[in-house]
Amino acid sequence: MQGNIKKTVPEPTLKRLPAYLHYLQKAREEGVLNISAPAISKVLNCDPTQVVKDISFTGAKGKPRLGYNTYELIHAIESFLGFHRTSEAFLVGAGNLGSALMSYQYLKSFGLKIVAAFDIDPEKIGQQKGKINVLHIDKLQDLAVRLKIQIGILTTPVEVAQEVADKMVKCGIKAIWNLTPLNLSLPEHIIIQNTSMYSNVVVLLKKLHDLEKHNNNP
Amino acid sequence: MQGNIKKTVPEPTLKRLPAYLHYLQKAREEGVLNISAPAISKVLNCDPTQVVKDISFTGAKGKPRLGYNTYELIHAIESFLGFHRTSEAFLVGAGNLGSALMSYQYLKSFGLKIVAAFDIDPEKIGQQKGKINVLHIDKLQDLAVRLKIQIGILTTPVEVAQEVADKMVKCGIKAIWNLTPLNLSLPEHIIIQNTSMYSNVVVLLKKLHDLEKHNNNP
DNA sequence: TAGATTGTTAATCGATTAACAATC
DNA sequence: TAGATTGTTAATCGATTAACAATC
């Protein structure tokens, strides 16, 4: 299978594609039939050649001078990113952050469906958030195995994050979206996606402070 | 001022330093007086030379064989990241995500203090979340100017994100932490820190799908 | 002293940007 | 045809990793 060497997609590309998609969908609604990479780059304020390169990973083909067929490009990005198939996930930790994810309707359009949430707080158990039931954590193992859940979303307090993650792995969960700031220790074969919001705070404040310093010593 | 050429810190370094700090603080509590880069790297599961390099940006000095003085290193990282000074911020959008940030006590330890939140929902206005008052958006401009707020946190629905961001800029806010998936169009001099959680979902699902594909064609 | 670790410089790696031929 | 845009290859840039001397 010689010609079948698929280059691994750079993660930055993977993160930019949904932004293109979002704009393309808006353009489609407005009846735009063709769209060029430079046009996208202008709206999203990024480099046009980068847009071309990113798109090339999806396999979409454009025409010089004309650009890409809007409908085809949308379809190419969606199927490349796997938006057409839906993966089911369990969420543990039905606090504010967990509730935010449960209420976030667009998750489904990315191919992620939260089918149940778990907590230990008796007040939360039995509630519904965004049409998702909150169950007692004790039911996690049994349900995860039965439903063959592969994805776990971790929105617990830091203190119990490792413990819950271990539990997820025991249930056969293969990928964990970790929204706690903790660095989880898990078996090699488990996919971990860390999303720690506070590291963004650090970057933001550093930029602001550097700006101030610069303004004082022009 | 020749010798004063400060190299710009790589953003990845900036994001890793808080993780080191977290572990160091735990070590300090346990009475560990000295700690080496390889020791940190083992716990956080990363490269030891990278830890050394990251630390070097903070200006902390270690001793061969011994490592770094725990207390000094903590202090160096904290002051390098600006954790000792507190910047005040306004948050707009007191929904689940906004509430999560308001209740997240550790934000203060990173040097960010949310002093007030704003919304338009009458039910939310007047409430307190994590000791922070939720006010009507109409009060934003006046208060921001009076308190000289420099940082805005954007946790509104996507639909109004641009509008609110524009309002923030008008109030003299210099930096915006954007937690909506929208690509904001703002003046050049405004610092924007985008934190779109859903792009992480895309990466996670791609990894999972690629793994499955790989398992099917071994 | 011997050996582990720091700290710096060089090599590698990967992503972004530039260059340019092909083409609609 | 002329000119803008695709698509690919090469050059640049920046971050990570490796190498190694200094040193406690």
Side-chain angles (χ1 to χ4, degrees), chain B residues 66-150:
Chain B
L66 246 175
Y68 304 83
N69 175 284
T70 311
Y71 183 82
E72 277 173 27
L73 184 51
I74 288 174
H75 186 82
I77 296 177
E78 283 182 343
S79 64
F80 178 73
L81 295 177
F83 282 8
H84 293 128
R85 51 186 295 196
T86 307
S87 302
E88 299 187 325
F90 273 2
L91 181 147
V92 181
N96 282 315
L97 184 55
S99 303
L101 295 179
M102 287 188 254
S103 313
Y104 189 63
Q105 289 152 349
Y106 297 97
L107 270 190
K108 253 176 245 163
S109 60
F110 300 122
L112 187 70
K113 191 186 174 192
I114 304 173
V115 291
F118 300 85
D119 209 298
I120 42 158
D121 184 351
E123 277 197 27
K124 283 174 194 147
I125 292 161
Q127 280 192 356
Q128 265 210 346
K129 307 199 174 188
K131 295 188 180 167
I132 297 157
N133 288 312
V134 182
L135 311 172
H136 192 280
I137 185 86
D138 285 348
K139 295 187 177 162
L140 176 72
Q141 170 124 27
D142 190 44
L143 274 173
V145 172
R146 276 208 305 200
L147 297 177
K148 296 201 180 79
I149 299 296
Q150 303 210 58

XYZ file of all heavy atoms in Angstrom, chain B residues 66-150:
669
model
N 22.429 19.001 43.178
C 21.473 19.260 44.252
C 20.086 19.617 43.723
O 19.065 19.274 44.286
C 21.972 20.438 45.091
C 22.380 20.148 46.533
C 22.972 21.403 47.157
C 21.208 19.637 47.360
N 20.097 20.356 42.631
C 18.827 20.851 42.107
C 18.565 22.277 42.568
O 19.492 23.048 42.794
N 17.303 22.609 42.691
C 16.912 23.966 43.071
C 16.387 23.974 44.497
O 15.788 23.002 44.959
C 15.824 24.490 42.129
C 16.211 24.458 40.686
C 16.077 23.288 39.936
C 16.738 25.582 40.059
C 16.448 23.243 38.599
C 17.109 25.546 38.726
C 16.963 24.370 37.996
O 17.342 24.333 36.690
N 16.602 25.092 45.167
C 15.970 25.279 46.465
C 14.470 25.441 46.242
O 14.038 26.314 45.497
C 16.557 26.521 47.146
C 15.858 26.852 48.449
O 14.750 27.380 48.429
N 16.488 26.531 49.562
N 13.702 24.586 46.868
C 12.263 24.544 46.615
C 11.617 25.914 46.802
O 10.878 26.389 45.936
C 11.573 23.540 47.566
O 12.293 22.311 47.530
C 10.144 23.284 47.132
N 11.940 26.547 47.916
C 11.323 27.811 48.230
C 11.689 28.887 47.206
O 10.829 29.626 46.725
C 11.726 28.254 49.642
C 11.070 29.535 50.065
C 9.769 29.541 50.569
C 11.735 30.752 49.919
C 9.159 30.723 50.939
C 11.128 31.933 50.282
C 9.837 31.918 50.798
O 9.232 33.084 51.144
N 12.979 28.941 46.870
C 13.442 29.939 45.901
C 12.800 29.736 44.533
O 12.421 30.692 43.864
C 14.965 29.859 45.756
C 15.737 30.624 46.822
C 17.237 30.368 46.717
O 17.712 30.067 45.602
O 17.933 30.458 47.752
N 12.703 28.465 44.143
C 12.141 28.172 42.823
C 10.665 28.576 42.762
O 10.213 29.179 41.784
C 12.305 26.682 42.499
C 11.849 26.236 41.111
C 12.445 27.109 40.024
C 12.209 24.773 40.862
N 9.942 28.256 43.806
C 8.537 28.657 43.864
C 8.411 30.168 43.726
O 7.624 30.677 42.919
C 7.891 28.188 45.191
C 7.703 26.669 45.169
C 6.546 28.878 45.419
C 7.201 26.079 46.472
N 9.257 30.849 44.486
C 9.197 32.312 44.446
C 9.541 32.848 43.048
O 8.894 33.765 42.546
C 10.148 32.901 45.487
C 10.027 34.389 45.611
N 9.047 34.984 46.377
C 10.719 35.401 45.022
C 9.171 36.293 46.269
N 10.169 36.570 45.453
N 10.563 32.242 42.446
C 11.001 32.694 41.118
C 9.885 32.527 40.085
O 9.611 33.437 39.303
C 12.239 31.917 40.687
N 9.244 31.365 40.103
C 8.167 31.116 39.132
C 6.999 32.060 39.385
O 6.486 32.695 38.464
C 7.687 29.647 39.192
C 8.811 28.704 38.768
C 6.465 29.432 38.303
C 8.465 27.231 38.849
N 6.613 32.174 40.654
C 5.476 33.036 40.986
C 5.708 34.481 40.569
O 4.829 35.123 39.994
C 5.185 32.975 42.491
C 4.447 31.707 42.902
C 4.116 31.676 44.391
O 4.728 32.460 45.148
O 3.267 30.872 44.787
N 6.913 34.982 40.847
C 7.115 36.393 40.521
C 7.317 36.561 39.015
O 6.922 37.577 38.449
C 8.260 37.000 41.325
O 9.457 36.390 40.995
N 7.894 35.544 38.369
C 8.040 35.617 36.918
C 6.673 35.646 36.229
O 6.448 36.406 35.286
C 8.847 34.431 36.396
C 8.992 34.409 34.907
C 9.835 35.307 34.269
C 8.277 33.499 34.138
C 9.970 35.293 32.887
C 8.400 33.479 32.758
C 9.251 34.390 32.141
N 5.759 34.844 36.724
C 4.423 34.791 36.128
C 3.526 35.934 36.607
O 2.418 36.112 36.115
C 3.760 33.437 36.432
C 4.407 32.204 35.818
C 3.684 30.948 36.255
C 4.402 32.294 34.289
N 4.022 36.675 37.593
C 3.242 37.813 38.085
C 2.111 37.413 39.010
O 1.103 38.118 39.106
N 2.284 36.293 39.698
C 1.226 35.813 40.584
C 1.091 36.661 41.846
O 0.100 36.551 42.555
C 1.482 34.352 40.993
C 1.125 33.370 39.917
C 0.781 33.790 38.644
C 1.132 32.002 40.177
C 0.459 32.876 37.649
C 0.795 31.088 39.187
C 0.472 31.523 37.925
N 2.081 37.483 42.110
C 2.033 38.277 43.346
C 1.179 39.526 43.209
O 0.628 40.032 44.164
C 3.448 38.651 43.784
C 4.249 37.467 44.217
N 5.509 37.202 43.710
C 3.954 36.461 45.069
C 5.954 36.075 44.255
N 5.036 35.617 45.078
N 1.090 40.027 41.996
C 0.230 41.182 41.784
C -1.115 40.700 41.266
O -1.212 39.733 40.510
C 0.855 42.157 40.789
C 1.301 41.504 39.499
C 2.045 42.462 38.616
N 1.166 43.536 38.182
C 1.451 44.346 37.178
N 2.586 44.209 36.516
N 0.611 45.297 36.831
N -2.153 41.382 41.682
C -3.488 40.966 41.291
C -4.088 41.928 40.278
O -4.052 43.143 40.470
C -4.406 40.882 42.524
O -3.778 40.063 43.502
C -5.746 40.280 42.153
N -4.597 41.402 39.185
C -5.289 42.221 38.207
C -6.788 41.995 38.339
O -7.236 40.874 38.536
C -4.827 41.852 36.792
O -3.434 42.008 36.674
N -7.525 43.060 38.218
C -8.970 42.974 38.378
C -9.669 42.816 37.032
O -9.255 43.408 36.041
C -9.478 44.223 39.097
C -8.881 44.359 40.490
C -9.513 45.505 41.265
O -9.846 46.532 40.629
O -9.675 45.358 42.497
N -10.706 42.022 37.028
C -11.415 41.756 35.781
C -12.924 41.843 35.971
O -13.445 41.622 37.062
C -11.038 40.381 35.253
N -13.618 42.153 34.888
C -15.077 42.073 34.830
C -15.447 40.872 33.966
O -14.801 40.623 32.948
C -15.653 43.340 34.185
C -15.892 44.458 35.154
C -15.571 44.330 36.504
C -16.437 45.666 34.713
C -15.782 45.376 37.397
C -16.657 46.712 35.602
C -16.328 46.568 36.943
N -16.476 40.179 34.392
C -16.950 39.042 33.621
C -18.333 39.364 33.059
O -19.194 39.867 33.781
C -16.998 37.797 34.518
C -17.454 36.466 33.918
C -16.718 35.321 34.604
C -18.959 36.260 34.049
N -18.542 39.084 31.785
C -19.867 39.289 31.211
C -20.425 37.954 30.723
O -19.800 37.267 29.917
C -19.850 40.319 30.067
C -21.256 40.516 29.525
C -19.280 41.642 30.545
N -21.609 37.629 31.239
C -22.247 36.356 30.901
C -22.215 35.416 32.082
O -21.326 34.583 32.197
N -23.201 35.535 32.974
C -23.184 34.771 34.226
C -23.936 33.457 34.093
O -24.682 33.062 34.980
C -23.750 35.624 35.357
N -23.740 32.788 32.979
C -24.336 31.459 32.794
C -23.507 30.399 33.505
O -22.773 30.711 34.441
N -23.640 29.171 33.045
C -22.906 28.086 33.697
C -21.396 28.274 33.628
O -20.702 28.135 34.629
C -23.274 26.751 33.058
C -24.619 26.240 33.551
O -24.893 26.278 34.744
N -25.452 25.793 32.622
N -20.901 28.587 32.443
C -19.457 28.739 32.297
C -18.950 29.920 33.124
O -17.947 29.814 33.845
C -19.096 28.926 30.817
C -17.613 29.012 30.494
C -16.860 27.813 31.033
C -17.388 29.144 28.986
N -19.658 31.040 33.034
C -19.295 32.210 33.840
C -19.298 31.887 35.325
O -18.369 32.237 36.051
N -20.330 31.185 35.752
C -20.437 30.806 37.166
C -19.278 29.905 37.577
O -18.764 30.002 38.696
C -21.757 30.088 37.416
O -22.844 30.906 37.021
N -18.894 29.012 36.668
C -17.768 28.126 36.963
C -16.518 28.953 37.262
O -15.803 28.690 38.230
C -17.515 27.181 35.786
N -16.273 29.970 36.450
C -15.089 30.803 36.669
C -15.204 31.606 37.954
O -14.238 31.778 38.687
C -14.881 31.749 35.486
C -14.554 31.068 34.160
C -14.390 32.106 33.057
C -13.290 30.233 34.272
N -16.417 32.097 38.224
C -16.612 32.886 39.445
C -16.391 32.039 40.690
O -15.926 32.529 41.706
C -18.027 33.462 39.468
C -18.223 34.590 38.477
S -19.831 35.388 38.692
C -20.703 34.762 37.282
N -16.748 30.765 40.600
C -16.610 29.880 41.758
C -15.223 29.270 41.857
O -14.893 28.628 42.853
C -17.624 28.732 41.668
O -18.899 29.234 41.348
N -14.419 29.468 40.826
C -13.110 28.833 40.807
C -12.120 29.662 41.628
O -11.601 30.686 41.175
C -12.622 28.701 39.371
C -11.378 27.878 39.225
C -11.378 26.532 39.564
C -10.193 28.438 38.759
C -10.231 25.778 39.446
C -9.050 27.689 38.636
C -9.080 26.346 38.982
O -7.941 25.599 38.867
N -11.904 29.190 42.851
C -11.143 30.001 43.799
C -9.676 30.191 43.436
O -9.050 31.166 43.836
C -11.238 29.378 45.195
C -12.623 29.543 45.796
C -12.943 28.438 46.772
O -12.224 27.460 46.857
N -14.031 28.608 47.501
N -9.136 29.248 42.667
C -7.705 29.319 42.391
C -7.334 30.447 41.429
O -6.169 30.799 41.317
C -7.208 27.982 41.853
C -7.368 26.862 42.850
C -8.461 26.001 42.802
C -6.438 26.673 43.861
C -8.618 24.980 43.720
C -6.581 25.659 44.793
C -7.674 24.813 44.719
O -7.823 23.808 45.638
N -8.323 31.013 40.756
C -8.019 32.112 39.839
C -7.229 33.212 40.539
O -6.314 33.794 39.974
C -9.309 32.710 39.263
C -9.841 32.112 37.968
C -10.962 32.969 37.427
C -8.742 31.980 36.927
N -7.603 33.476 41.784
C -6.926 34.515 42.548
C -5.440 34.215 42.698
O -4.612 35.113 42.645
C -7.577 34.651 43.937
C -8.421 35.917 44.073
C -9.123 35.944 45.421
C -10.624 35.856 45.222
N -11.346 35.491 46.445
N -5.132 32.936 42.895
C -3.723 32.594 43.096
C -2.916 32.777 41.810
O -1.696 32.824 41.831
C -3.578 31.163 43.629
O -4.125 30.252 42.710
N -3.593 32.887 40.671
C -2.897 33.203 39.430
C -2.818 34.711 39.193
O -2.290 35.152 38.189
C -3.612 32.570 38.228
C -3.705 31.094 38.302
C -4.930 30.457 38.259
C -2.566 30.332 38.453
C -5.017 29.081 38.338
C -2.638 28.956 38.543
C -3.866 28.324 38.491
N -3.391 35.467 40.104
C -3.290 36.910 39.976
C -4.474 37.523 39.250
O -4.409 38.660 38.795
N -5.565 36.777 39.134
C -6.749 37.327 38.481
C -7.913 37.366 39.455
O -8.288 36.354 40.045
C -7.127 36.481 37.262
C -8.251 37.058 36.399
C -7.762 38.295 35.655
C -8.747 36.025 35.389
N -8.472 38.557 39.629
C -9.598 38.695 40.534
C -10.812 39.234 39.782
O -10.767 40.326 39.207
C -9.232 39.662 41.671
C -10.252 39.644 42.786
C -9.974 40.704 43.825
C -11.110 40.737 44.837
N -11.033 41.921 45.704
N -11.869 38.453 39.774
C -13.102 38.913 39.142
C -13.836 39.775 40.163
O -14.224 39.276 41.225
C -13.984 37.726 38.711
C -13.198 36.796 37.776
C -15.254 38.220 38.024
C -13.928 35.507 37.419
N -13.998 41.052 39.870
C -14.599 41.944 40.861
C -16.106 42.116 40.673
O -16.806 42.477 41.611
C -13.916 43.334 40.892
C -12.507 43.205 41.453
C -13.878 43.953 39.508
N -16.590 41.855 39.473
C -18.034 41.919 39.261
C -18.400 41.161 37.993
O -17.566 40.975 37.100
C -18.501 43.370 39.146
N -19.656 40.713 37.957
C -20.147 40.009 36.780
C -21.368 40.746 36.242
O -22.055 41.457 36.983
C -20.504 38.571 37.132
N -21.638 40.582 34.950
C -22.746 41.287 34.316
C -23.554 40.348 33.449
O -23.023 39.391 32.887
C -22.203 42.451 33.469
C -21.433 43.442 34.276
C -20.079 43.235 34.539
C -22.048 44.558 34.822
C -19.358 44.141 35.305
C -21.345 45.465 35.596
C -19.992 45.249 35.835
N -24.846 40.647 33.379
C -25.741 39.828 32.569
C -26.956 40.684 32.202
O -27.086 41.834 32.632
C -26.169 38.580 33.348
C -26.465 37.390 32.437
O -27.408 37.499 31.608
O -25.759 36.372 32.547
N -27.851 40.115 31.370
C -29.100 40.836 31.116
C -30.294 40.097 31.704
O -31.378 40.639 31.811
C -29.374 41.045 29.603
C -29.045 39.765 28.825
C -28.648 42.249 29.050
C -29.743 39.700 27.501
N -30.077 38.830 32.077
C -31.163 38.011 32.618
C -31.572 38.519 34.012
O -30.788 38.470 34.944
C -30.667 36.564 32.710
C -31.758 35.619 33.182
O -32.834 36.101 33.589
O -31.521 34.398 33.149
N -32.848 38.994 34.141
C -33.300 39.554 35.430
C -33.180 38.555 36.577
O -32.954 38.939 37.719
C -34.779 39.877 35.178
C -34.943 39.892 33.707
C -33.900 38.997 33.130
N -33.302 37.268 36.252
C -33.200 36.251 37.298
C -31.803 36.169 37.887
O -31.629 35.855 39.069
C -33.604 34.890 36.733
C -35.103 34.673 36.720
C -35.444 33.196 36.556
O -34.627 32.346 36.949
O -36.521 32.911 36.002
N -30.827 36.418 37.057
C -29.438 36.302 37.519
C -28.968 37.561 38.230
O -28.136 37.511 39.140
C -28.514 36.017 36.326
C -28.589 34.572 35.871
C -27.779 34.343 34.612
C -28.136 33.013 33.981
N -28.051 33.036 32.517
N -29.502 38.700 37.781
C -29.073 39.974 38.365
C -29.472 40.041 39.830
O -30.599 39.731 40.198
C -29.671 41.161 37.571
C -29.031 41.186 36.179
C -29.440 42.481 38.283
C -29.806 41.965 35.158
N -28.510 40.441 40.660
C -28.748 40.500 42.094
C -28.218 39.283 42.814
O -27.991 39.307 44.014
N -28.019 38.200 42.049
C -27.460 36.994 42.653
C -25.988 37.168 42.982
O -25.338 38.103 42.529
C -27.605 35.812 41.686
C -28.990 35.202 41.691
C -28.996 33.872 40.949
O -27.995 33.457 40.384
N -30.136 33.209 40.945
N -25.499 36.241 43.795
C -24.071 36.202 44.105
C -23.544 34.827 43.747
O -24.143 33.817 44.108
C -23.862 36.440 45.598
C -23.571 37.864 45.983
C -22.695 37.914 47.218
O -22.516 36.929 47.908
N -22.136 39.082 47.488
N -22.430 34.777 43.050
C -21.812 33.486 42.744
C -20.342 33.567 43.140
O -19.609 34.424 42.626
C -21.944 33.172 41.261
C -23.403 33.277 40.801
C -23.681 32.558 39.509
C -25.179 32.608 39.226
N -25.588 31.802 38.104
N -19.960 32.713 44.063
C -18.581 32.766 44.550
C -18.251 34.136 45.102
O -17.174 34.662 44.855
N -19.196 34.718 45.806
C -19.020 36.039 46.444
C -18.928 37.212 45.454
O -18.563 38.322 45.813
C -17.780 36.059 47.355
C -17.929 35.109 48.552
C -16.790 35.311 49.518
C -16.953 34.369 50.713
N -15.740 34.293 51.524
N -19.256 36.921 44.193
C -19.206 37.989 43.198
C -20.632 38.368 42.793
O -21.446 37.500 42.479
C -18.408 37.518 41.960
C -16.963 37.226 42.358
C -18.456 38.568 40.852
C -16.247 36.272 41.441
N -20.918 39.665 42.811
C -22.257 40.130 42.477
C -22.496 40.138 40.979
O -21.608 40.511 40.205
C -22.461 41.550 43.007
C -22.597 41.565 44.516
O -23.347 40.783 45.091
N -21.842 42.454 45.167
N -23.712 39.764 40.596
C -24.107 39.847 39.192
C -24.933 41.117 39.004
O -25.976 41.282 39.636
C -24.928 38.616 38.764
C -25.293 38.706 37.293
C -24.161 37.332 39.052
N -24.444 42.007 38.145
C -25.111 43.289 37.916
C -25.680 43.357 36.503
O -25.320 42.549 35.638
C -24.104 44.426 38.110
C -23.255 44.374 39.386
C -22.169 45.434 39.350
C -24.141 44.539 40.605
N -26.525 44.353 36.279
C -27.060 44.539 34.931
C -25.978 45.120 34.022
O -25.204 45.980 34.438
C -28.277 45.472 34.959
C -29.030 45.461 33.655
N -28.619 46.181 32.552
C -30.152 44.783 33.275
C -29.464 45.962 31.554
N -30.392 45.114 31.967
N -25.979 44.638 32.801
C -24.951 45.030 31.828
C -24.866 46.552 31.646
O -23.806 47.090 31.312
C -25.222 44.320 30.474
C -24.112 44.586 29.444
C -26.579 44.727 29.904
C -22.971 43.639 29.541
N -25.983 47.230 31.889
C -25.987 48.684 31.734
C -25.005 49.387 32.668
O -24.613 50.529 32.426
C -27.400 49.242 31.993
C -28.330 48.956 30.829
O -27.820 48.543 29.769
O -29.559 49.140 30.986
N -24.648 48.703 33.729
C -23.720 49.318 34.689
C -22.255 49.097 34.322
O -21.355 49.623 34.982
C -23.993 48.759 36.091
C -25.368 49.137 36.617
C -25.556 48.734 38.061
C -26.932 49.210 38.561
N -27.336 48.504 39.790
N -22.046 48.304 33.290
C -20.668 47.937 32.921
C -19.795 49.149 32.630
O -18.746 49.346 33.245
C -20.700 47.013 31.693
C -19.348 46.616 31.105
C -18.636 45.636 32.012
C -19.508 45.987 29.722
N -20.242 49.967 31.698
C -19.419 51.090 31.248
C -18.986 51.991 32.396
O -17.794 52.233 32.608
C -20.195 51.911 30.210
C -19.531 53.239 29.862
C -19.260 53.388 28.379
O -19.934 52.806 27.534
N -18.236 54.151 28.060
N -19.951 52.450 33.147
C -19.669 53.375 34.239
C -18.665 52.791 35.230
O -17.666 53.426 35.573
C -20.985 53.716 34.949
C -20.789 54.852 35.936
O -20.114 55.840 35.567
O -21.289 54.735 37.069
N -18.937 51.543 35.662
C -18.078 50.910 36.666
C -16.675 50.622 36.129
O -15.678 50.831 36.815
C -18.713 49.602 37.148
C -19.719 49.738 38.285
C -20.404 48.405 38.552
C -19.019 50.230 39.550
N -16.616 50.159 34.895
C -15.320 49.815 34.310
C -14.421 51.041 34.247
O -13.229 50.979 34.555
C -15.504 49.217 32.918
N -15.011 52.150 33.846
C -14.228 53.378 33.742
C -13.777 53.833 35.131
O -12.610 54.150 35.344
C -15.057 54.492 33.053
C -14.334 55.829 33.120
C -15.363 54.107 31.607
N -14.722 53.816 36.076
C -14.382 54.283 37.429
C -13.325 53.421 38.098
O -12.433 53.919 38.768
C -15.650 54.311 38.298
C -16.469 55.574 38.128
C -17.232 55.860 39.379
N -18.043 54.710 39.747
C -19.090 54.760 40.560
N -19.469 55.925 41.067
N -19.775 53.685 40.867
N -13.440 52.109 37.930
C -12.505 51.188 38.598
C -11.262 50.920 37.743
O -10.381 50.171 38.127
C -13.204 49.868 38.934
C -14.378 49.961 39.919
C -15.026 48.585 40.096
C -13.901 50.499 41.266
N -11.237 51.546 36.566
C -10.105 51.354 35.638
C -9.826 49.874 35.368
O -8.681 49.419 35.425
C -8.840 52.034 36.173
C -8.938 53.555 36.287
C -7.531 54.140 36.314
C -7.540 55.653 36.423
N -7.798 56.116 37.799
N -10.883 49.132 35.070
C -10.737 47.705 34.791
C -10.038 47.509 33.448
O -10.377 48.164 32.465
C -12.125 47.027 34.771
C -12.807 47.176 36.126
C -12.007 45.555 34.374
C -12.126 46.485 37.284
N -9.062 46.612 33.429
C -8.294 46.398 32.203
C -8.623 45.079 31.517
O -8.256 44.869 30.372
C -6.794 46.400 32.530
C -6.324 47.666 33.215
C -4.875 47.957 32.880
O -4.521 48.094 31.710
N -4.056 48.023 33.900
